[in-house]
Amino acid sequence: MPLTSEIKVTEDCNFPQEIQDKLTVHLKKAEVRLRELIGDAKYDELESASSGDQRDKAAQAESYLTAYYALPFLNLRVTEKGGFVMATGFEQSRNELMGKRELDGYRAGFFRQAMLLIKDFTLFENDEGDELDAGPLGMMTL
């Protein structure tokens, strides 16, 4: 069971409450990723703790990871005829969906924040150039 919830993700990431139902599927992805990073034993220990600084940090990190996984899907608008919309409305009512580069920047920010919160109890060494520091958009992926 995840350390966080849809409500906590919207609070931690400053998302509108209307998207809570769209976050549910991404909570499991975030839990799996956090378990990979800190290990099942540590995750279970944090899960069984009712409160505490480490549990709060891990829950917030899981919220950020949920946002990391959810953002690409929240940015999609599908037309009735199929395909994805880049802009809707006219003139002042016009709104455009975030571009891939900007979206990747926001995602990387959430990923980095999550890694900073759990850096004290990750399973991996924090070597220079490690994906833990660089996030998903580090030099290794370029």
Side-chain angles (χ1 to χ4, degrees):
M1 186 167 164
L3 297 173
T4 193
S5 66
E6 294 89 343
I7 295 168
K8 184 155 174 36
V9 173
T10 58
E11 290 171 0
D12 288 345
C13 300
N14 201 23
F15 288 160
Q17 291 180 348
E18 297 81 44
I19 67 162
Q20 286 178 1
D21 60 327
K22 296 179 181 181
L23 298 173
T24 306
V25 69
H26 305 289
L27 285 173
K28 185 63 179 170
K29 294 177 198 174
E31 177 187 349
V32 168
R33 179 67 172 167
L34 192 57
R35 282 182 179 276
E36 288 173 358
L37 291 168
I38 67 174
D40 287 330
K42 183 67 174 177
Y43 191 95
D44 293 339
E45 174 189 323
L46 293 170
E47 188 178 30
S48 64
S50 59
S51 64
D53 188 45
Q54 281 193 340
R55 188 191 197 294
D56 293 343
K57 284 182 179 182
Q60 189 172 13
E62 195 170 80
S63 289
Y64 291 148
L65 288 173
T66 301
Y68 168 79
Y69 287 115
L71 274 175
F73 297 96
L74 298 176
N75 195 46
L76 298 177
R77 302 265 167 95
V78 182
T79 66
E80 291 177 14
K81 296 179 182 179
F84 300 106
V85 178
M86 280 304 295
T88 58
F90 296 99
E91 299 201 15
Q92 290 181 344
S93 68
R94 181 180 174 99
N95 62 30
E96 294 186 23
L97 299 177
M98 191 182 296
K100 181 175 178 359
R101 185 178 211 136
E102 189 177 5
L103 178 66
D104 287 346
Y106 277 107
R107 290 184 75 214
F110 280 123
F111 190 86
R112 271 192 300 277
Q113 288 177 13
M115 295 306 103
L116 286 172
L117 286 168
I118 61 168
K119 69 180 179 182
D120 294 337
F121 43 92
T122 56
L123 292 175
F124 306 105
E125 289 274 331
N126 200 0
D127 295 333
E128 188 100 14
D130 191 357
E131 185 180 347
L132 260 172
D133 256 357
L137 304 174
M139 294 303 288
M140 295 177 73
T141 57
L142 297 176

